[in-house]
């Protein structure tokens, strides 16, 4: 971090004099290490930290000739559209709930798949199914929408075709908001299951086989082995993945919701998330101030969530905590 | 996977094992079927006559078999071929470069004698929470760095990901004992030399895993193309597909009438999906075996 | 340690702010720099620079001695041979303007916004009222052309007549060069004439019951077809709407059916503005749509349908379209259908005919502007002049290369080389609708006949367009508008699609939510601006016969 400050060219704060001495010493002994950090420093500085300045957009009334710093300051004005629609609570709840459902269901399913796959004997079965489960990752949500529409639409949908052929009354999916939270989770799982399973599978294969052998000898069943050996050893992975996902708790799977729900207002009360709401609001008068304001809200929210979660994790698994 | 095979021989066929096998096989088979089902619809749709497809919707087996969609797609294959070419190029270059810098960073971050490693790790992680938004980033890359219409714009933003760096770091620390590094240092080797000649060879599986995720990110990329690339010949594969899929939606939303332009029909869109996604399906099983050999994902704090 | 970290972070952020501020300042410096340059260029006496054949036409004092680069943007997706045409065009600009040309496309308004916001150097860009021309102009995205145009390009200045020119004013200044090609683009009812005859359904007249009879007839006799494929669209409305909304244009003599915020401006008395969503007529219209939805004329899943209406119609999936856009659209459809389904017969009833009131496209429907970020504003304007007034440029940019992409028949009609699947640069593939010129335009023969017929018909009952030139200033209610857009998208399309159980209750709920979002405030301000506009432009009440 001090390496970063050095490359940005500031002079150290007065209170850092002791740091500075230590820093110089560190620099001398580990010069090469600092040099090896330069690519990362450069990358994150340019790609992530420099644009953070743009947060100021959220507080200006953007004018094209003024640009970022020339536009007049307007305080919290840009945030008004968020709560004026009366929807901020609903959106926050929707976004968070969906993300929690995605994270939990996603990870649980991936862990289960990884465990099952690791124990299956048939080599070809394993290879083929793993490849098949990975396929949806390559299919964009645009295609998924086409498929979903063809499955669920009222007149010629696949689902209703099957229902009608067995004599039932067709199901009007697109006008029934209630089923959609479940459906969205299913679509998300469909797309992500293969990808996440790889991570857990890799971790499982690094578990020392002697542990399993010892448990065998002690007479443990497969289920017991899983419960007492595999799952606890997967926990650190799960927590790390969790922490990475939580930072984006207020940002949604924009692609998924925008493509599948689209402009179907009937479903908005249960499927509208922050990202789609902001996108639609600003579609005509794309105002950079308002969109940045929304993004800032999401970031701040995510930051608070991380801080809280980190404090909780510190209690049970201190080595997994962030700081 | 050899480990599982040897243990299997030792596993007695207890009732619980049989029960487990039944559950495992059927669950995985079911999941695979669910994953496969929509894709079968897509493939079947691509082999159906367009007008029939629009009227009747998608079926598991095409009701009016026709290869018109593919014929039309391959009438002028240059577009697809170029998109393949440029995507392969970006993927290979980006993955190689990214792997190198990320493993280098990971190596530095796991060195216990590097005092600032935790702070740097946190700063890297912090970028996943906070950002300035798309517009300032776009302005920086296109106006100040002039990356418009260049491959750099497609490679640079994806080069490093916090998640993969942490992954790499943990892998190196678990597979590279400090003793080896110390003895190499005593022999007078510099840190960089240690990294190149000692560390890199050992972490093969880690490189393979991170490399896979990185390559996937480059392969599936379309967003960067939509922002920075205007030259049709530099389109990424997914963007090429996305462009085609969205041209009808775009036409409707812009309210203009495209008139003489042939808007791609449904079956052509499906054929496009097959052509873009197909080859990967055949590649993946070969790549699979390289990386499942044991990596552990640790915490952000080293 | 945490605290120190935070301090350091702030310090770093602070210096980055300064860093970027420098960047920000220099870009605004560039702007003022180029403005000074152009006034200098204007002030200098003779036309210098390398000899060009059209030196006489280029206007005065533009220095063309230094080789430079022009960047132009138009909407749409690039066709397969787009690069070839750009190369040829660039050769022309290098010859005449000593500048190479780059011609890019933007796919949607989001990209357009990004281009303008990021201050990307663009010398010429397509703008339109439906693409927020007024909003961008009010926020200083474009260069004012009042004095710039006559100075740099007298030829273009002459070409753009006073009325059209004035209509492009925003806050008193002109920021775009409007398209001079007159166009009527009504929506209309499209149907399958062959099916109508087959089932002996009544002829389609102004009476709406004939349309209902047709739809019912199709429903009874063709169970495999969907009667109509109406969908949700976002074109021309705040938030989204269901395309049945466009059907209502036939019924009312309003200034324009796209007047937003549920307002009705009476064409015959422009000072009369009614809150339309609250009226009985609106409710009864919605009930009519509900009866149609209940009869099953469109799918219950229509709100989620993203299929293109025209594609569905051409594939034979639907039998009619309540709001099919434009005469040229219809003409093109006829020629396509003649090739793919020769046994079909089509009919189209433009809404203008039903209400006997036609309004031509407003001047700001298609135009070209020069952003303030342009590096070469003078040459950009000269390029525009060439594109509109020079036949060589016109033909190349609109139709492609003669002999390769198209041919001109003896009668002066456009004839495509190959068919739509082989064409690398189809007609008007560049989406340069704003440089159309009546003198140079070429039509395919079949299209030309239909267009001429319809246009001469519209001519007989055309009245000036009073509304689409109104440059609404949204800054007083920007937040409310964004909030309202969301309310509209959620509640209005289901009502317009008749997919609600109780129309009156649904409308009441919608209005309630809309008022919470700030509808009243918006309406008040909008009415005030509109009445000021009416007074400023002296718009008189018109009697429509």
């Amino acid at each position: 971090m001090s390496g970063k400050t050095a490359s940005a060219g500031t002079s150290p704060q007065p209170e850092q004099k002791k740091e500075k001495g230590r820093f110089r010493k560190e620099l001398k002994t580990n010069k090469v290490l600092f040099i090896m950090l330069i690519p990362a420093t450069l990358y994150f500085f340019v790609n992530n930290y420099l644009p953070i300045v743009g947060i100021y957009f959220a507080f200006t009334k953007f004018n094209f000739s003024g640009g970022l710093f020339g536009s007049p300051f307007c305080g919290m004005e840009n945030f008004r559209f968020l709560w004026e629609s009366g929807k901020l609570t609903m959106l926050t709840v929707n976004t968070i709930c969906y993300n929690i459902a995605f994270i939990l269901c996603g990870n649980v399913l991936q862990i289960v798949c990884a465990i099952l796959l690791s124990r299956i004997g048939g080599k070809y079965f394993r290879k083929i199914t793993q490849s098949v489960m990975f396929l949806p990752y390559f299919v964009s949500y645009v295609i998924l929408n086409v498929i979903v529409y063809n499955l669920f639409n009222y007149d010629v949908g696949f689902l209703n075709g099957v229902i009608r052929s067995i004599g039932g009354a067709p199901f009007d999916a697109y006008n029934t908001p209630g089923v959609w939270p479940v459906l969205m989770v299913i679509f998300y799982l469909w797309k992500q299951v293969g990808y996440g399973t790889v991570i857990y599978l890799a971790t499982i294969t690094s578990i020392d086989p002697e542990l399993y052998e010892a448990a065998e000898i002690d007479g443990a069943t497969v289920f017991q082995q899983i419960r007492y050996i595999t799952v606890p050893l997967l926990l650190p992975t799960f927590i790390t993945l969790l922490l990475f996902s939580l930072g984006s708790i207020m940002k949604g799977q924009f692609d998924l919701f925008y493509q599948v729900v689209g402009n179907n207002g009937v479903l908005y009360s249960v499927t509208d998330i922050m990202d789609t709401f902001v996108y639609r609001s600003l579609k005509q008068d794309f105002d950079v101030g308002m969109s940045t304001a929304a993004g800032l809200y999401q970031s701040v929210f995510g930051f608070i969530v991380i801080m809280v979660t980190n404090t909780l994790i510190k209690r049970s698994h201190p080595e997994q905590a962030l700081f | 996977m050899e480990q599982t095979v040897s243990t299997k021989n030792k596993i007695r066929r207890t009732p619980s094992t049989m029960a487990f096998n039944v559950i495992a096989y059927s669950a995985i088979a079911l999941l695979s079927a669910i994953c496969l089902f929509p894709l079968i619809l897509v493939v079947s749709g691509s082999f159906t006559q367009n007008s029939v497809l629009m009227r009747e919707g998608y079926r598991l087996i095409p009701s009016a078999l026709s290869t018109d969609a593919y014929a039309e797609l391959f009438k002028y294959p240059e577009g697809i071929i170029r998109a393949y070419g440029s995507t392969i190029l970006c993927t290979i270059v980006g993955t190689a470069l990214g792997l190198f810098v990320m493993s280098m960073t990971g190596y530095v971050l796991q060195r216990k004698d590097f005092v600032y490693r935790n702070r740097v790790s946190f700063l890297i992680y912090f970028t996943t929470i906070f950002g300035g938004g798309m517009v300032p980033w776009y302005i920086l890359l296109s106006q100040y760095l002039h990356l418009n219409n260049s491959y750099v714009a497609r490679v640079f933003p994806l080069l490093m990901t916090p998640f993969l760096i942490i992954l790499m770091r943990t892998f190196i620390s678990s597979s590279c004992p400090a003793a080896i590094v110390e003895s190499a240092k005593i022999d007078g080797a510099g840190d960089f030399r240690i990294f190149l000649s000692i560390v890199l060879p050992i972490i093969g599986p880690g490189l393979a895993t991170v490399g896979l995720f990185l390559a996937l990110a480059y392969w599936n990329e379309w967003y960067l193309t939509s922002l920075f690339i205007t030259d049709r010949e530099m389109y990424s594969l997914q963007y090429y597909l996305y462009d085609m899929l969205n041209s009808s939606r775009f036409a409707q939303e812009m309210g203009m009438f495209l008139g003489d332009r042939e808007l791609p029909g449904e079956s052509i869109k499906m054929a496009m999906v097959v052509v873009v996604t197909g080859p990967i399906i055949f590649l993946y099983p070969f790549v699979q075996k390289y990386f499942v050999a044991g990596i552990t994902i640790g915490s952000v704090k080293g | 340690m945490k605290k120190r970290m935070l301090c350091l972070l702030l310090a770093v952020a602070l210096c980055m702010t300064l860093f970027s501020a420098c960047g920000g300042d220099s870009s605004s410096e560039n702007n003022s720099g180029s403005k000074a340059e152009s006034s200098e260029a204007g002030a200098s006496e003779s036309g210098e620079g390398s000899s060009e054949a059209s030196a006489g036409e280029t206007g005065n004092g533009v220095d063309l001695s230094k080789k430079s680069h022009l960047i132009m943007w138009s909407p749409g997706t690039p066709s397969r041979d787009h690069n070839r045409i750009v190369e040829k065009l660039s050769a022309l600009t290098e010859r005449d303007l000593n500048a190479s040309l780059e011609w890019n496309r933007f796919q949607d308004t989001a990209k357009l916004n990004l281009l303008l916001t990021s201050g990307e150097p663009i010398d010429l860009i397509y703008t339109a009222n439906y693409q927020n021309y007024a909003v961008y102009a009010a926020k200083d995205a474009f260069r004012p052309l009042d004095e710039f145009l006559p100075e740099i390009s007298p030829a273009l200045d002459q070409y753009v007549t006073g009325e059209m020119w004035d209509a492009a004013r925003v806050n008193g200044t002109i920021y775009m060069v409007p398209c001079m090609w007159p166009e009527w683009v009504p929506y209309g009812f499209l149907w399958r004439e062959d099916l109508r005859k087959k089932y002996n359904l009544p002829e389609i007249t102004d009476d709406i019951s004939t349309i209902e009879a047709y739809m019912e007839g199709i429903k009874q006799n063709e169970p495999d077809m969907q009667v109509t494929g109406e969908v949700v669209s976002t074109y021309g409305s705040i938030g989204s709407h269901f395309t049945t909304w466009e059907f209502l244009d036939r019924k009312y003599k309003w200034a324009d059916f796209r007047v937003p915020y549920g307002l009705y401006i009476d064409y015959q008395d422009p000072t009369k503005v009614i809150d339309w969503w609250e009226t009985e007529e609106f409710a009864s219209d919605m009930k009519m749509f509900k009866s149609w939805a209940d009869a099953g004329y469109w799918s219950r899943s229509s709100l989620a349908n993203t299929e293109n209406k025209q594609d569905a119609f051409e594939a034979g999936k639907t039998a009619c379209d309540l709001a099919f856009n434009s005469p040229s659209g219809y003409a093109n459809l006829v020629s396509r259908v003649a090739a793919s389904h020769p046994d079909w017969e089509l009919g189209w009833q433009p809404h203008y005919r039903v209400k006997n009131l036609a309004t031509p496209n407003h001047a700001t429907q298609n135009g070209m502007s020069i952003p303030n970020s342009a590096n070469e504003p003078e040459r950009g304007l000269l390029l525009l002049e060439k594109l509109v007034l020079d036949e060589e440029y016109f033909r190349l940019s609109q139709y492609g290369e003669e002999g390769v992409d198209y041919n001109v028949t003896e009668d002066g009609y456009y004839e495509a080389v190959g068919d739509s699947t082989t064409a690398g640069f189809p007609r008007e593939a560049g989406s340069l609708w704003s440089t159309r010129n009546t003198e140079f335009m070429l039509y395919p023969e079949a299209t030309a006949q239909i267009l001429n017929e319809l246009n001469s018909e519209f001519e007989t009952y055309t009245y000036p367009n009073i509304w689409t030139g109104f440059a609404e200033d949204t800054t007083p209610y920007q937040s409310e508008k964004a909030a309202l857009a969301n309310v509209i998208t959620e509640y209005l399309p289901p009502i317009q699609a008749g997919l609600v159980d109780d129309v009156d209750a649904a409308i009441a709920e919608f209005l309630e939510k809309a008022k919470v979002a700030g509808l009243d405030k918006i309406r008040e301000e909008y009415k005030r601006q509109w009445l000021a506009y009416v007074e400023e432009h002296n718009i008189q009440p018109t009697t429509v016969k």
Side-chain angles (χ1 to χ4, degrees), chain B residues 269-283:
Chain B
K269 293 179 191 172
M270 293 302 119
M272 191 68 211
V273 175
V274 173
V275 169
V276 166
T277 323
I280 302 300
I281 300 173
F282 298 110
L283 199 59

Side-chain angles (χ1 to χ4, degrees), chain C residues 40-88:
Chain C
E40 262 180 45
S44 73
E45 289 303 317
S46 48
E48 29 168 319
S50 54
S51 59
E52 330 104 36
S54 41
E57 284 174 337
T58 55
N60 324 311
V62 180
D63 180 5
L64 294 173
S65 55
K66 203 171 60 151
K67 174 92 194 284
S68 79
H69 186 67
L70 286 171
I71 304 178
M72 175 170 79
W73 284 78
S74 73
T77 50
S79 61
R80 205 175 54 241
D81 285 344
H82 177 80
N83 284 346
R84 166 168 59 88
I85 302 300
V86 177
E87 243 177 74
K88 288 259 150 31

Side-chain angles (χ1 to χ4, degrees), chain C residues 479-543:
Chain C
S479 308
E480 284 84 359
K481 182 179 173 191
L484 183 64
N486 263 293
V487 171
I488 292 179
T489 305
E490 187 171 342
Y491 293 99
L492 197 52
I495 299 176
Q496 291 165 332
L499 292 173
V500 292
D501 293 322
D502 180 346
V503 176
D504 291 310
I507 295 179
E509 187 187 1
F510 164 60
L511 283 173
E512 189 193 311
K513 294 270 158 41
K515 291 203 158 55
V516 166
L519 182 66
D520 293 324
K521 174 180 171 188
I522 299 176
R523 275 177 166 173
E524 206 182 294
E525 176 62 23
Y526 186 89
K527 284 179 196 170
R528 195 194 61 77
Q529 286 183 22
W530 167 252
L531 292 173
Y533 175 83
V534 167
E535 207 180 298
E536 188 191 327
H537 290 248
N538 204 14
I539 300 179
Q540 299 297 332
T542 329
T543 344

Side-chain angles (χ1 to χ4, degrees), chain B residues 54 250 254 256-257 260, chain C residues 107 131 310 317 332 420 433:
Chain B
M54 293 211 70
F250 158 68
M254 291 288 256
M256 63 182 185
F257 184 75
D260 307 348
Chain C
Q107 273 75 23
Q131 286 193 359
Q310 192 195 325
K317 187 171 176 185
N332 280 312
S420 51
W433 312 302

Side-chain angles (χ1 to χ4, degrees), chain C residues 107-120:
Chain C
Q107 273 75 23
D108 51 33
T109 43
K111 184 74 198 269
L112 173 63
N113 183 77
L114 191 62
L115 289 174
L116 293 173
T117 309
S118 64
E120 186 145 332

Side-chain angles (χ1 to χ4, degrees), chain A residues 1-2 4-5 8 10 13 15-16 18-19 22 45 49-53 57 61-66 68-69 77-81 84-87 90 145-146 149-150 152-156 172-175 259-269 272 276-288 290 303 307 314 323, chain C residues 1-2 4-5 7-9 11-13 15-17 19-21 24-25 28 31 35 108-110 113 116-118 132 135-136 138-141 226 232-234 236-240 298-307 317 372 474-476 478-487 489-491 493-494 499 513 516-518 521:
Chain A
M1 181 190 69
S2 306
K4 279 201 173 69
T5 346
T10 22
Q13 309 281 330
E15 60 205 353
Q16 310 266 6
K18 201 167 61 167
E19 273 283 300
R22 204 167 144 213
F45 181 71
Y49 282 100
L50 210 46
I52 285 189
V53 183
F57 272 128
K61 220 165 179 61
F62 185 72
N63 180 289
F64 286 92
S65 52
L68 178 54
F69 292 100
E77 173 80 15
N78 285 329
F79 293 85
R80 270 207 303 137
F81 84 101
E84 235 165 45
S85 62
K87 295 212 178 290
M90 176 206 79
N145 174 42
V146 174
Y149 185 72
N150 273 280
F152 289 107
N153 84 62
Y154 188 75
D155 310 281
V156 293
D172 193 358
Y174 279 102
N175 284 311
Q259 297 297 340
V260 174
V261 177
N263 289 317
N264 187 2
V266 179
L267 303 179
Y268 282 168
S269 54
D272 212 14
T276 48
F277 175 81
V278 171
Y279 182 78
R280 276 196 330 266
S281 311
L282 304 181
K283 212 160 123 130
Q284 275 137 345
D285 287 359
F286 257 94
D287 185 73
V288 68
M290 299 201 316
F303 189 69
M307 295 306 246
K314 242 194 192 158
F323 38 85
Chain C
M1 189 191 74
K2 238 184 291 181
R4 256 181 279 164
M5 223 166 38
C7 288
L8 255 149
L9 219 82
V12 175
C15 62
M16 287 190 270
T17 310
F19 184 99
S20 312
D25 280 343
S28 50
N31 278 341
K35 282 197 187 114
D108 51 33
T109 43
N113 183 77
L116 293 173
T117 309
S118 64
N132 292 327
V135 175
Y136 291 134
K139 287 188 181 170
D140 276 338
Q226 225 179 308
V232 175
S233 162
T234 55
S237 62
I238 311 286
S240 51
W298 52 79
S299 165
R300 287 197 65 78
S301 308
S302 292
L303 294 174
N305 190 4
T306 49
E307 241 164 32
K317 187 171 176 185
N372 272 324
T474 57
T475 35
Q478 206 170 2
S479 308
E480 284 84 359
K481 182 179 173 191
L484 183 64
N486 263 293
V487 171
T489 305
E490 187 171 342
Y491 293 99
L499 292 173
K513 294 270 158 41
V516 166
K521 174 180 171 188

